Amino acid sequence: AALPPGVALRLDANGGWSVAEALALLRSVAPLGIELIEQPVAAADLEGLARVRAAGLVPVAADEAVTDLETVKRIVALGAADVLVVKPMLAGGPRAGRAIVEMARAAGLCALVTTTIDSGVGIAAALHLAATLPNPPLACGLGTRSLLAGDLVTGLPPVVSGSLRLPSGFGLGIRLDHDAGERWVASVDVVH
């Protein structure tokens, strides 16, 4: 009731619940219109994930379970998720991430893209992948740059009103910040 109109609420258990715990909690929050639950059970428990999804209480997103194409094929075959959370750096890079997005689309599932608290390079790669999602995309988790003490790139646009624009340069659109590199090298104590 405290959320403004148009704000979606997601839950993320990071694989911390048993199937029974997930079902009990989701029964209690289902009337609240939760957008999705990310990884309610352990990443390796795809059958458990499928049981949670089959209950139909809240849309289920596979997150930590989305590691490679073979695992994604199993998720799809088991009907274990409504949404695939694609982290390009864990999936094998942007090309592998794109293959997962295509597999989700072909299976009638949604996909969203997040980072693994990556540097500007990883965020730029994830942003480019997110830009290929069908419209309107689910909100992606790419605004993680501020969680780092610093970065070695320039040219990555800031988050504005919850959105990121694609950088305008060549390739990923970012550039190495040589001054930042020098500062980081100078701040590291090297033990020989």
Side-chain angles (χ1 to χ4, degrees), residues 43 63-72 75 85 87 90-92 100:
D63 183 354
E64 286 83 0
V66 179
T67 55
D68 56 50
L69 288 173
E70 289 308 311
T71 306
V72 171
I75 292 168
V85 178
K87 293 178 173 139
L90 295 181
I100 292 170

Side-chain angles (χ1 to χ4, degrees), residues 102-191:
E102 283 301 314
M103 195 176 296
R105 187 193 56 73
L109 305 178
C110 294
L112 62 93
V113 178
T114 67
T115 71
T116 54
I117 317 297
D118 303 315
S119 70
V121 175
I123 294 169
L127 177 59
H128 280 270
L129 176 60
T132 71
L133 295 174
N135 283 320
L138 291 171
C140 294
L142 305 177
T144 56
R145 190 176 193 194
S146 64
L147 299 174
L148 301 176
D151 207 346
L152 297 175
V153 300
T154 62
L156 189 64
V159 176
V160 176
S161 299
S163 294
L164 275 168
R165 295 196 178 276
L166 286 173
S168 59
F170 295 106
L172 292 177
I174 55 176
R175 293 169 305 286
L176 180 61
D177 182 344
H178 295 284
D179 292 337
E182 292 294 326
R183 284 191 304 274
W184 282 101
V185 168
S187 71
V188 175
D189 288 331
V190 178
V191 178

Side-chain angles (χ1 to χ4, degrees), residues 17-24 27 40-41 45 47-49 51-52:
W17 300 332
S18 68
V19 172
E21 289 169 329
L23 292 174
R27 277 187 202 97
V41 299
D45 187 6
E47 290 79 9
L49 193 63
R51 289 198 309 274
V52 173

Side-chain angles (χ1 to χ4, degrees), residues 8-14 17 22-23 25-27 29-41 48-63 75 79-85 108-112 138:
L9 185 61
R10 294 178 180 173
L11 304 177
D12 188 351
N14 289 316
W17 300 332
L23 292 174
L25 183 109
L26 295 177
R27 277 187 202 97
V29 300
L32 302 176
I34 303 298
E35 183 180 39
L36 57 83
I37 174 68
E38 286 186 34
Q39 204 63 53
V41 299
L49 193 63
R51 289 198 309 274
V52 173
R53 181 184 183 227
L57 299 166
V58 171
V60 172
D63 183 354
I75 292 168
D82 300 287
V83 177
L84 299 179
V85 178
L109 305 178
C110 294
L112 62 93
L138 291 171

